[in-house]
Amino acid sequence: MMQRTWIGLLILGVVQTVTLAQVEPSARELPKWRGFNLLEMFMKTSSPGPFRESDFRLISEWGFNFVRLPMDYRIWIQGNDWNRFDEAALRWVDQAVVYGQKYGVHVCLNFHRAPGYTVASPPEPTSLWTDPVTQQVCARHWAHFARRYKGIPNSQLSFNLLNEPADVDPNVHAHVVSLLVEAIRAEDPNRLIIADGINYAVAPSWNLAPLGIAQATRGYQPFTLTHYRASWASGSDQWALPMWPEPLGFSGYLYGPAKQNMQSSMVLDARISEPFTFRVRVGTVSHSSKLQVLVDRGRSAAWSQDFTPGPGEGPWKQVVYMPQWDTYQNVYDQEFAIPVPQCNQQIRLSNTVGDWMTITEIGIDLADGRTFSMRVNSRWGDVNQSVRFEPEDPVGAFQSDLAMDRQWLWDRYVQPWVALKEAGVGVMVGEWGSYNKTPHDVTLGWMEDCLKNFEQAGLGWALWNFRGSFGILDSGRSDVQYEDFQGHRLDRQMLALLQQY
């Protein structure tokens, strides 16, 4: 019944089908797709509905050829019964595939929330990674889509299995992916399948290579730029205002002896001949720590403070208990002002006891009344680099020789995927973009460096999203000169930039 229904829909779309990308899509090589994520079925709680033909038309008219449809499985089941499918909702997907055919836009279906797994809230009641029944249900859902769209060419349709697998062992992940691949191929042996990489799709999974499927990564780094003040990103309202390129100085973390192999001090090179006040703000402390401040490499600490988070009231603002490690990681958000007679070389901050702590801000108040502050965004695992205090520098008082820039993005987040691509695995960027609270000029500068890297690596991409807070239409940015366009507010600068690559 479903296959006959699909054939009827297919006839409607074939008449106006146009040529898609240059490369025939395969698990070994993906085209350099350029497009967007469309969110009509992204979340059950966000008023899901049918996809818009006007989106496909505009995407095609503006020169793009790809859409990814991140979907929530709860939308196409009846009630809470994940074994019963709702045909009315599934016809929304049918229609999207037809629109893709009509306008020459490749459609990639993705389970953003799959039975047993999601990165969104609330979490699923069962685990796709450990529960065999949930694995069978998820496989059954993908098999249904495979059967429903069997025969649609890979140039027009692909399956992207699970959105951003996180906190899962690579071997466990590969096992579950293999079950889903097997279920799809039992219905449609030739369907193009794409799996997101591990660690929220940031890292490639070499464990998947034997399965003969492509992989997808993300373009959300640095996260403190792309998700600045995003409500779902914890602590983002405390991050420093993004800039691009951004000096690569302090990592924000001071690791104690419990993480000896990760330890590095924060070193501020400064020459201040008169008395001043050095300010340091402590963010989160895990288990216990001791912050020590040394001036000019003196043998005795200029200042030190012990921190031991726990339950109840204390010098912290929030009690955070982590049951998986049976420890407290309390949020202090506490500033300390340290009088310093002078500094001829450097100020060094170290953690000499316990686990780890974060430093969220440092500052210097000079005797002449000038005050300087630098917010510090935390990057787990990074080594602290020295920072210079140069109060007369017009660019900024705190400077570093290294920066997060295009090369930094390439080395950390693109080159590992180039290696996978060179090994014969098709690769694309399934999501990327910057939230609307990041300054527009910063966003565009960062986007251009991303696009240059994607082009250099031969990677296709899909911006998150088309309409909405990351997109080119109705993004809600406060610092954009929008153009009124067919009932939308168009960010013409961002559109023009995307069209260049």
Side-chain angles (χ1 to χ4, degrees):
M1 176 65 178
M2 290 305 98
Q3 189 167 345
R4 289 199 300 274
T5 302
W6 170 248
I7 291 172
L9 288 168
L10 179 61
I11 293 171
L12 296 175
V14 165
V15 178
Q16 300 185 54
T17 298
V18 296
T19 303
L20 287 173
Q22 314 90 326
V23 174
E24 182 67 20
S26 72
R28 295 186 57 84
E29 185 176 11
L30 297 180
K32 288 197 292 184
W33 285 314
R34 299 156 64 246
F36 305 87
N37 284 260
L38 301 181
L39 308 189
E40 270 59 38
M41 296 179 68
F42 166 56
M43 194 172 293
K44 183 180 180 181
T45 56
S46 299
S47 301
F51 294 92
R52 302 184 185 183
E53 183 174 3
S54 59
D55 287 348
F56 287 81
R57 176 178 54 79
L58 286 176
I59 287 168
S60 178
E61 288 178 357
W62 282 333
F64 304 100
N65 61 5
F66 181 91
V67 294
R68 177 175 178 262
L69 310 183
M71 302 183 297
D72 181 340
Y73 81 95
R74 297 174 302 176
I75 296 170
W76 66 74
I77 65 174
Q78 296 186 32
N80 294 318
D81 187 348
W82 61 10
N83 288 308
R84 298 175 62 205
F85 297 127
D86 182 347
E87 269 303 304
L90 288 172
R91 280 194 289 271
W92 295 343
V93 187
D94 294 344
Q95 191 64 68
V97 178
V98 169
Y99 292 151
Q101 292 179 308
K102 181 176 179 179
Y103 294 102
V105 174
H106 181 96
V107 175
C108 179
L109 306 183
N110 165 252
F111 285 10
H112 193 276
R113 178 185 287 269
Y117 179 71
T118 182
V119 294
S121 295
E124 281 287 286
T126 62
S127 173
L128 177 62
W129 312 121
T130 60
D131 180 43
V133 172
T134 303
Q135 292 166 2
Q136 292 171 10
V137 170
C138 189
R140 192 178 306 128
H141 279 240
W142 269 122
H144 183 90
F145 280 94
R147 184 166 57 252
R148 191 177 190 93
Y149 303 127
K150 183 176 182 179
I152 306 302
N154 286 333
S155 60
Q156 298 173 0
L157 181 69
S158 59
F159 292 171
N160 178 208
L161 299 177
L162 304 167
N163 184 72
E164 299 178 6
D167 302 324
V168 56
D169 180 272
N171 292 313
V172 173
H173 171 245
H175 170 67
V176 171
V177 169
S178 71
L179 297 178
L180 305 183
V181 169
E182 182 181 4
I184 292 169
R185 287 179 175 163
E187 300 291 343
D188 188 356
N190 298 317
R191 175 58 57 209
L192 174 61
I193 300 172
I194 304 170
D196 281 2
I198 55 177
N199 188 24
Y200 295 94
V202 172
S205 174
W206 290 89
N207 298 55
L208 300 182
L211 297 179
I213 60 177
Q215 292 191 42
T217 183
R218 292 294 179 269
Y220 289 132
Q221 301 296 336
F223 201 68
T224 50
L225 182 154
T226 64
H227 286 68
Y228 177 65
R229 293 190 174 275
S231 60
W232 63 94
S234 177
S236 62
D237 57 339
Q238 301 298 315
W239 295 343
L241 183 70
M243 62 178 69
W244 189 259
E246 181 178 333
L248 189 62
F250 298 154
S251 75
Y253 282 91
L254 287 175
Y255 303 102
K259 289 183 170 55
Q260 187 173 8
N261 62 326
M262 300 173 70
Q263 278 186 298
S264 61
S265 298
M266 296 181 178
V267 178
L268 179 66
D269 294 325
R271 308 289 186 273
I272 307 173
S273 59
E274 297 181 349
F276 65 96
T277 299
F278 178 70
R279 291 178 287 106
V280 56
R281 181 172 293 277
V282 174
T284 299
V285 178
S286 175
H287 185 63
S288 66
S289 289
K290 182 173 185 176
L291 176 60
Q292 183 182 81
V293 178
L294 296 175
V295 178
D296 291 338
R297 302 181 182 180
R299 291 189 176 184
S300 60
W303 179 89
S304 65
Q305 178 74 35
D306 290 298
F307 298 86
T308 307
E313 295 184 358
W316 43 78
K317 286 190 175 181
Q318 181 181 357
V319 174
V320 180
Y321 177 66
M322 306 299 286
Q324 60 269 50
W325 298 299
D326 189 26
T327 193
Y328 287 89
Q329 295 183 352
N330 289 1
V331 177
Y332 281 73
D333 191 26
Q334 186 176 10
E335 184 178 77
F336 300 89
I338 306 163
V340 181
Q342 66 178 23
C343 179
N344 298 314
Q345 292 179 314
Q346 63 181 217
I347 301 171
R348 178 181 292 266
L349 285 70
S350 302
N351 181 6
T352 61
V353 172
D355 195 13
W356 57 262
M357 67 191 311
T358 64
I359 304 299
T360 60
E361 185 176 7
I362 64 167
I364 288 179
D365 301 337
L366 297 178
D368 61 11
R370 289 183 294 167
T371 296
F372 304 89
S373 297
M374 180 180 74
R375 297 297 302 269
V376 181
N377 290 328
S378 301
R379 301 185 307 278
W380 179 266
D382 278 16
V383 175
N384 287 301
Q385 308 292 334
S386 63
V387 173
R388 300 185 305 275
F389 176 64
E390 299 177 356
E392 309 304 329
D393 194 312
V395 176
F398 298 96
Q399 296 291 321
S400 176
D401 292 332
L402 300 176
M404 290 186 286
D405 53 15
R406 179 187 170 190
Q407 188 63 47
W408 178 83
L409 287 172
W410 176 272
D411 293 341
R412 285 189 167 222
Y413 301 107
V414 180
Q415 179 58 45
W417 291 92
V418 172
L420 185 70
K421 188 170 181 283
E422 290 174 346
V425 176
V427 176
M428 73 165 298
V429 183
E431 294 179 22
W432 72 293
S434 174
Y435 186 55
N436 63 12
K437 296 301 187 292
T438 298
H440 193 238
D441 59 342
V442 173
T443 292
L444 294 182
W446 169 82
M447 286 181 72
E448 183 157 20
D449 279 345
C450 289
L451 288 164
K452 288 177 178 177
N453 280 344
F454 299 160
E455 184 173 62
Q456 180 180 340
L459 302 182
W461 48 262
L463 189 72
W464 184 282
N465 37 25
F466 184 56
R467 288 174 288 104
S469 55
F470 285 69
I472 59 177
L473 293 176
D474 308 324
S475 62
R477 295 181 182 273
S478 61
D479 55 351
V480 173
Q481 285 291 108
Y482 287 105
E483 175 184 326
D484 290 334
F485 185 88
Q486 298 183 12
H488 298 284
R489 304 186 74 201
L490 169 62
D491 184 344
R492 178 67 71 173
Q493 279 186 281
M494 185 179 291
L495 170 60
L497 175 63
L498 295 172
Q499 288 174 320
Q500 290 179 40
Y501 293 90

